[in-house]
């Protein structure tokens, strides 16, 4: 099976087994001093990326995603929960996942409030609930740094209430880290040379995010896990089997990703970014087998991912800059690959929906 390498668009070990990684969630005092959520100002639509043709193997933009006309997939509509209700006999609160945010802070806060996870002031009010973000906090939208600040603050507030707020590494976290660390340093892209700076701009990088990016944001992002298994759900950002290249266990994958970032080699980080941009492994013929290869290796009975927008998986749109496209109608997660995969990127960057969903589906 051939995977795509097109780009579109906080992480810590299992709750009990890997408590040592809790250091990844320590939040500096100044994060809490930021006060309650303040609505962001949307400066306008994100400028579309340039239209140059790039060699095969380079990281293209989201506009290059093809229309996928599929008739054998199912989109599940789940009634929204009005409040977080504890699960019986486990001592833990309900489990929620959040799809790609891409800088849409206001939409994120609204979606979390709709589920009863945040109060009117934007503070955690869900007690022992467990919240996982699937990555891609920045780029394309107006306030990626505001999103990161919110997630960092919620991790502290949730922990104080007996719950947690955690997140995974997305390809856009790797892209932002690379753009900040390596800038215009040439890297071997597999099809000539490229730079993180050019790829970041090409894929919706926002100057306002780069101007506000601080060391504590970089440290937080670089410590995120890439894979986790929670309540039988294998959580990843990308719908790719590339995770298998980094280890045969969840711990090994996460350690390898962190060690790669620690070595600070531009070519190594680029290769990691490139593999995390791959998509559509679970679609089409053989997709269910690809999911099973991950579940058999890392555990879980279903995989939950972001990265590939549901409108593309459903074949509802061709590209984000197509003027003839109507806004996609996304009501909830998309279940496919023989029911083994749940897609959570509702396409907020294309006027879709920022999804926050309680798991398992139907609860």
């Amino acid at each position: 099976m051939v995977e795509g390498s097109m780009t579109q668009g906080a992480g810590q070990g299992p709750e009990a087994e890997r408590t040592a990684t809790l250091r990844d969630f320590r939040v500096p005092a100044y994060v809490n001093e930021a006060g309650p959520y303040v609505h962001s100002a949307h400066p306008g639509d994100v400028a579309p990326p340039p239209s140059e043709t790039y060699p095969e193997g380079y990281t293209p933009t989201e506009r290059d995603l093809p229309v996928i006309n599929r008739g054998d997939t199912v989109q599940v509509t789940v009634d929204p929960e009005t409040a977080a209700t504890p699960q019986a006999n486990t001592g833990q609160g309900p489990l929620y996942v959040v799809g790609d945010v891409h800088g849409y802070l206001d939409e994120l806060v609204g979606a979390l409030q709709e589920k009863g996870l945040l109060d009117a002031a934007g503070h955690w009010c869900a007690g022992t609930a467990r919240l996982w973000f699937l990555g891609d906090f920045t780029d394309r939208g107006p306030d990626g740094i505001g999103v990161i600040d919110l997630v960092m603050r919620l991790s502290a507030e949730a922990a104080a209430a007996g719950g947690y707020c955690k997140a995974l590494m997305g390809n856009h976290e790797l892209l932002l880290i690379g753009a900040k660390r390596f800038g215009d340093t040439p890297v071997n892209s597999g099809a000539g040379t490229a730079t993180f700076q050019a790829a970041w701009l090409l894929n919706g990088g926002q100057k306002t995010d780069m101007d506000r990016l601080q060391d504590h944001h970089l440290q937080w992002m670089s410590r995120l896990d890439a894979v986790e298994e929670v309540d039988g759900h294998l959580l990843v950002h990308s719908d790719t089997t590339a995770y298998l290249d980094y280890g045969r266990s969840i711990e090994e994958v996460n350690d390898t990703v962190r060690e790669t970032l620690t070595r600070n080699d531009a070519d190594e980080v680029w290769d990691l970014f490139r593999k995390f941009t791959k998509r559509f492994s679970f679609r089409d013929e053989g997709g269910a087998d690809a999911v099973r290869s991950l579940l058999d290796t890392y555990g879980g009975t279903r995989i939950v991912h972001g990265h590939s927008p549901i409108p593309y998986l459903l074949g509802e749109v061709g590209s984000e800059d197509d003027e003839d496209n109507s806004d996609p109608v996304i009501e909830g997660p998309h279940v496919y690959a023989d029911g083994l995969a749940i897609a959570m990127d509702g396409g907020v960057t294309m006027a879709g929906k920022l999804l926050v969903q309680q798991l398992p589906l139907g609860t």
Side-chain angles (χ1 to χ4, degrees):
M1 177 168 38
V2 177
E3 299 179 71
S5 60
M6 292 163 277
T7 305
Q8 158 73 29
Q12 300 63 26
E15 302 94 89
E17 291 85 344
R18 296 174 58 207
T19 54
T21 61
L22 290 176
R23 66 183 182 278
D24 297 347
F25 287 101
R26 291 176 184 169
V27 179
Y30 48 75
V31 174
N32 295 317
E33 293 169 359
Y37 162 72
V38 178
H39 290 283
S40 63
H42 290 242
D45 294 334
V46 178
S51 58
E52 293 93 350
T53 300
Y54 286 81
E56 185 176 358
Y58 192 74
T59 306
T61 67
E62 72 284 352
R63 70 174 62 194
D64 299 316
L65 287 166
V67 173
I68 309 301
N69 293 311
R70 300 284 294 166
D72 60 351
T73 55
V74 179
Q75 186 171 0
V76 175
T77 300
V78 181
D79 292 333
E81 297 79 18
T82 58
T85 55
Q87 297 178 349
N89 302 322
T90 65
Q92 296 178 319
L95 173 65
Y96 291 84
V97 290
V98 184
D100 298 33
V101 181
H102 283 300
Y104 285 86
L105 178 60
D106 292 346
E107 288 79 357
L108 172 60
V109 170
L112 293 173
Q113 289 173 332
E114 181 182 351
K115 296 295 183 180
L117 299 170
L118 301 188
D119 63 20
H123 289 289
W124 182 265
C125 65
T128 60
R130 298 167 293 158
L131 179 64
W132 275 96
F133 286 81
L134 299 179
D136 277 8
F137 302 105
T138 67
D139 303 334
R140 300 198 177 103
D143 196 0
I145 298 303
V147 171
I148 292 175
D149 284 337
L150 175 65
V151 176
M152 292 176 69
R153 175 168 60 79
L154 291 179
S155 70
E157 294 180 357
Y164 68 64
C165 170
K166 304 182 182 182
L168 295 177
M169 174 80 71
N171 59 305
H172 280 263
E173 281 69 68
L174 291 169
L175 183 57
L176 183 58
I177 291 170
K180 181 67 173 180
R181 287 185 181 180
F182 307 117
D184 288 323
T185 301
V187 295
N188 184 0
S189 70
T193 58
T195 71
F196 272 104
Q197 179 73 10
W200 175 70
L201 291 171
L202 192 67
N203 287 283
Q206 302 295 295
K207 184 178 184 298
T208 52
D209 283 344
M210 187 62 75
D211 289 344
R212 295 161 59 202
L213 183 63
Q214 299 180 39
D215 286 345
H216 68 275
H217 298 127
L218 290 167
Q219 292 168 7
W220 182 80
M221 287 189 292
S222 66
R223 293 170 178 168
L224 300 181
D225 280 350
V227 186
E228 282 298 347
E229 189 271 326
V230 185
D231 293 356
H233 297 90
L234 186 64
L235 308 181
V236 297
H237 173 69
S238 303
D239 46 326
T240 177
T241 58
Y243 295 95
L244 296 169
D245 295 343
Y246 294 96
R248 304 301 296 178
S249 70
I250 289 175
E251 184 174 10
E252 186 178 356
V253 172
N254 293 332
D255 287 346
T256 301
V257 169
R258 273 192 288 269
E259 289 165 4
T260 300
L261 291 171
T262 299
R263 284 193 295 271
N264 208 35
D265 179 273
D267 286 327
E268 277 194 283
V269 177
W270 177 268
D271 189 61
L272 182 63
F273 160 68
R274 180 181 62 83
K275 288 181 178 178
F276 270 47
T277 67
K278 293 182 178 182
R279 65 176 78 246
F280 298 150
S281 291
F282 315 146
R283 203 190 62 196
D284 302 333
E285 184 178 358
D289 289 336
V291 176
R292 290 188 186 97
S293 71
L294 292 169
L295 297 176
D296 290 345
T297 302
Y298 303 127
T301 57
R302 257 183 172 177
I303 197 164
V304 184
H305 70 84
H307 190 48
S308 291
I310 293 171
Y312 289 122
L313 293 172
L314 294 173
E316 293 179 348
V317 294
S319 65
E320 289 183 321
D321 60 340
D322 187 346
E323 294 181 358
D324 294 331
N325 284 330
S326 58
D327 292 343
V329 178
I330 301 298
E331 299 295 340
H334 174 54
V335 179
Y336 66 116
D338 293 349
L340 296 175
I342 302 174
M344 281 292 300
D345 184 349
V348 66
T349 64
M350 58 184 76
K353 185 176 183 180
L354 199 160
L355 295 179
V356 178
Q357 180 60 49
Q358 186 175 351
L359 296 177
L361 294 178
T363 56

